[in-house]
């Protein structure tokens, strides 16, 4: 491999001259380069639609195999992909105009100049970026010189090394410091010259990321390279944990524990009681609990109550927060103990954009998690919006424990008194094995806004589980609502309960339906696995058009023109053996 580095400055003099650069300035320079070339590459997407060459060299070929994380953008991923992207994006008039899909105009200049207008650098797209920026860009994290150090690297395809040197020098003169090294048609940009040179040397002396078996395996598992390709190496685990450790430092920072928000009170600061001059009777007349006021602001005899010691209403102090963060760190470490890597790809196919992500060896990935297939499969074909998830058997206990740790036992008690529920048991029963929020795709938003009749709002919950046990908990909740309970309809089915405001829609949810009869659902919700969660929006159903018209009054045709191409959106996640998978698909008409 060929390589070259920027010239080394005389000893004691940083590149670009002047005093020794600060790290903050170097990061600003890196940000200028990264953001400018990113928007330049994105803006150049219009040209890729007319070019049908092979994919060519990729940024992964000039990064070391030790790379920890990698995200690449390629507006020249191959003929088929470019055709599909072009066909999909040009359906939206706003994108046609912004990206210049109908012209040969280079709108990259407008985009880059807009970004540069917010910086202190006297740079321009035409003079400093256009002469050398190619069509491929990547951002990566590479192990640094120290055990816990990470070197950020921006990789940019280069059409002219001399022009790139001129442009990057201009950035460095503005930001005080920047380092780069050319490598096989790309430039590696890092905060310092030493870091860029070290990365280039590692590539020259060893194998590349593209040669790494783990990289190719996980990218292939995610569907192969696309317009956007991502990768996380298994060796990134300790660095992720180190980053998380920074959160625990927040709890011990001066001022982290403020009066009324847990921890010791800040010396010299006494919270003012706005009700100090009011009697208990006057407070009660205003609907304010005198005991709560005393708990928050203390009593007249000087007792500070919950402020400055135990926190607001039992909120934990800094020590408790730090302990909780430590527990979260242990859980994260356990989840990542067998982490095998992850991949991501964004591709275009048959008028749809498909984002696929996969990760291996996550500790929380288990096929024992209840699937939502039985629940979702029995929903009405008229479903317009769906949010469904499986419910782990320890979900309610975990949430209750977290609320108690973060906000104190008092809050949980308040919830129990307000709802009549016994936590966490009733909450676990209420959600069953799986739960779905469902909106009727035939919903007429215009009619509803005219009547505001709750009984015509077709939004409901479908809960999978024992109908009698779930029904008993629902009755507890309804009892706490008083007269408003009569607005709620409850229907028991053979394998669960439906709850909502529109009696007809609730009855439909309780019955066995077949959402599979909706072709748009099948188009965007992946059938590759047994899902643990599903999100679905049917844009072609009447509810979407009526909602748009209700919000805009039908007076914004440009909005309608850009919404009209939308067909459906689906997001599904599932576990396949030890792999966690997620697929997002946006389909157009």
């Amino acid at each position: 491999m060929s390589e070259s580095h920027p010239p080394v400055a005389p000893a004691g003099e940083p590149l670009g001259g002047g005093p020794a650069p600060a790290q903050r300035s170097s990061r600003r320079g890196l940000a200028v380069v990264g953001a400018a070339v990113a928007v330049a590459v994105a803006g150049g997407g219009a040209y890729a639609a007319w070019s049908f060459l092979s994919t060519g060299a990729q940024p992964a070929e000039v990064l070391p195999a030790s790379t920890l994380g990698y995200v690449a953008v390629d507006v020249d991923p191959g003929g088929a992909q470019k055709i599909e992207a072009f066909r999909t994006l040009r359906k939206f008039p706003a994108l046609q105009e912004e990206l210049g899909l109908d012209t040969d105009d280079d709108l990259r200049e407008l985009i880059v100049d807009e970004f540069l207008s917010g910086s202190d650098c006297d740079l321009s797209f035409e003079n400093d970026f256009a002469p050398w920026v190619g069509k491929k860009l990547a951002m990566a994290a590479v192990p640094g010189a120290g055990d816990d150090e990470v070197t950020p690297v921006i990789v940019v395809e280069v059409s002219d090394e001399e022009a790139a040197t001129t442009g990057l020098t201009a950035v460095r003169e503005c930001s005080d410091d920047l380092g780069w090294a050319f490598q096989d048609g790309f430039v590696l940009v890092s905060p310092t010259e030493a870091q860029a040179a070290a990365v280039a040397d590692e590539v020259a002396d060893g194998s590349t990321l593209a040669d790494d078996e783990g990289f190719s395996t996980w990218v292939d598992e995610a569907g192969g390279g696309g317009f956007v390709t991502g990768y996380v190496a298994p060796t990134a685990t300790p660095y992720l944990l180190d980053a998380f450790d920074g959160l625990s430092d927040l709890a011990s920072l001066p001022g982290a524990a403020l009066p009324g928000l847990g921890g010791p009170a800040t010396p010299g600061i006494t919270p003012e009681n706005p009700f100090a001059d009011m009697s208990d009777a006057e407070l009660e007349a205003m609907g304010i609990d005198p005991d709560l006021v005393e708990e928050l602001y203390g009593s007249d005899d000087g007792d500070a109550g919950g402020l400055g010691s135990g926190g607001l209403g039992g909120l934990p102090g800094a020590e408790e927060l730090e302990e909780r963060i430590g527990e979260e760190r242990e859980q994260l470490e356990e989840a990542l103990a067998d982490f095998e890597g992850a991949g991501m790809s964004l591709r275009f196919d048959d008028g749809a954009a498909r984002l696929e992500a996969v990760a291996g060896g996550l500790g929380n990935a288990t096929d024992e998690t209840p699937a939502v297939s039985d629940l979702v499969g029995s929903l009405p074909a008229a479903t317009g919006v769906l949010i469904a998830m499986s419910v782990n058997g320890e979900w309610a206990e975990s949430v209750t424990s977290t609320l108690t740790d973060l906000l104190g036992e008092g809050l949980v008690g308040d919830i129990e008194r307000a709802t009549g529920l016994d936590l966490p048991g009733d909450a676990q029963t209420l959600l069953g094995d799986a739960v779905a929020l469902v909106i009727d795709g035939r919903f007429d938003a215009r009619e509803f806004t005219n009547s505001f009749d709750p009984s015509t709002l077709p939004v409901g919950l479908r809960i999978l589980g024992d109908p009698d046990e779930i029904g008993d908990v629902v009755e507890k909740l309804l009892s706490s609502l008083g007269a408003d309970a009569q607005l709620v309809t409850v229907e028991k089915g053979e394998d669960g309960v439906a709850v909502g405001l529109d009696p007809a829609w609730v009855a439909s949810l309780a019955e066995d339906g077949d959402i599979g009869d909706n072709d748009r659902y099948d188009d965007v919700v992946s059938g590759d696995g047994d899902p643990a969660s599903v999100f679905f929006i049917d844009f072609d159903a009447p509810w979407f058009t009526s909602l748009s018209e209700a919000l805009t009054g039908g007076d914004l045709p440009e909005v309608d023109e850009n919404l009209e191409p939308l067909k459906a959106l689906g997001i599904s996640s599932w576990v396949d053996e030890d792999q966690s998978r997620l697929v997002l698909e946006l389909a157009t008409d």
Side-chain angles (χ1 to χ4, degrees), residues 240-261:
L240 295 174
L241 293 174
D242 287 343
F244 185 88
D245 286 341
L247 296 177
S248 62
D249 296 336
L250 297 177
S252 59
L253 289 175
L258 299 176
L261 295 179

Side-chain angles (χ1 to χ4, degrees), residues 358-372:
V358 57
L362 293 180
N364 60 354
T366 170
D367 53 14
E368 297 178 357
T369 300
V372 299

Side-chain angles (χ1 to χ4, degrees), residues 177-250:
D177 193 21
L178 199 67
W180 62 86
F182 294 104
Q183 195 84 35
D184 296 341
F186 291 86
V187 63
L188 310 177
V189 185
S190 284
T192 68
E193 177 196 359
Q195 289 174 316
V199 174
D201 290 341
E202 185 177 355
V203 172
D205 296 339
S207 60
T208 69
L209 180 61
D211 299 326
D212 183 71
E213 182 178 357
F215 171 77
S216 58
T217 296
W218 288 109
V219 170
D220 288 344
E221 285 285 347
F227 270 75
V228 181
T229 303
Y231 169 68
V232 179
T235 51
T237 296
Y239 296 91
L240 295 174
L241 293 174
D242 287 343
F244 185 88
D245 286 341
L247 296 177
S248 62
D249 296 336
L250 297 177

Side-chain angles (χ1 to χ4, degrees), residues 320-353:
E320 289 85 351
L321 288 174
E322 187 171 359
E323 180 179 353
R324 181 61 185 176
I325 292 175
E327 293 174 356
E328 295 290 346
R329 203 268 190 193
E330 292 178 2
Q331 294 176 11
L332 178 61
E333 184 175 8
E334 181 179 353
L336 295 175
D338 299 316
F339 179 59
E340 300 172 357
M344 179 273 289
S345 177
L346 172 64
R347 303 175 62 83
F348 289 87
D349 183 32
D350 195 22

Side-chain angles (χ1 to χ4, degrees), residues 329-539:
R329 203 268 190 193
E330 292 178 2
Q331 294 176 11
L332 178 61
E333 184 175 8
E334 181 179 353
L336 295 175
D338 299 316
F339 179 59
E340 300 172 357
M344 179 273 289
S345 177
L346 172 64
R347 303 175 62 83
F348 289 87
D349 183 32
D350 195 22
R354 179 182 175 94
L355 173 68
E356 188 167 355
V358 57
L362 293 180
N364 60 354
T366 170
D367 53 14
E368 297 178 357
T369 300
V372 299
S373 299
D374 293 339
L375 171 62
V376 173
S378 63
L379 294 175
T383 295
V385 178
L386 165 65
I387 305 174
M389 66 177 184
S390 60
V391 181
N392 185 282
E394 299 177 354
W395 176 87
E397 182 177 352
S398 176
V399 171
T400 302
S401 175
T402 300
L403 288 175
T404 300
D405 291 342
L406 294 179
L407 301 177
E409 296 181 0
L411 177 63
V412 175
D414 290 341
I415 294 175
E416 289 181 318
R417 286 187 293 272
T419 63
L421 300 181
D422 295 323
L423 301 177
D426 281 348
Q428 189 71 48
T429 300
L430 179 63
L431 296 184
D433 296 323
V435 61
L437 174 67
V438 193
I439 300 177
D440 188 350
R442 300 162 298 186
F443 171 51
D444 191 332
R446 294 162 299 185
E447 180 179 330
F448 177 74
T449 54
N450 290 330
S451 66
F452 284 102
D453 181 359
S455 66
T456 64
L457 185 62
V459 179
L461 291 175
R462 175 75 163 83
I463 308 167
L464 184 67
D466 187 294
D468 293 330
E469 293 182 357
I470 296 173
D472 290 342
V473 178
V474 172
E475 288 300 324
K476 284 187 179 182
L477 277 174
L478 294 181
S479 297
S480 68
L481 295 179
D484 291 337
Q486 63 182 346
L487 300 175
V488 181
T489 298
V490 181
E491 288 279 354
K492 293 183 180 179
E494 294 183 0
D495 58 357
V497 172
V499 183
L501 300 176
D502 184 339
W505 182 239
V506 172
S508 296
L509 293 178
E511 299 171 353
D512 285 337
D514 190 358
I515 197 172
D517 289 343
N518 187 332
D519 293 338
R520 294 180 292 276
Y521 176 84
D522 286 341
D523 286 343
V524 297
V525 175
S526 177
D528 297 338
D530 201 5
S533 64
V534 173
F535 176 67
F536 168 66
I537 297 180
D538 187 348
F539 294 112

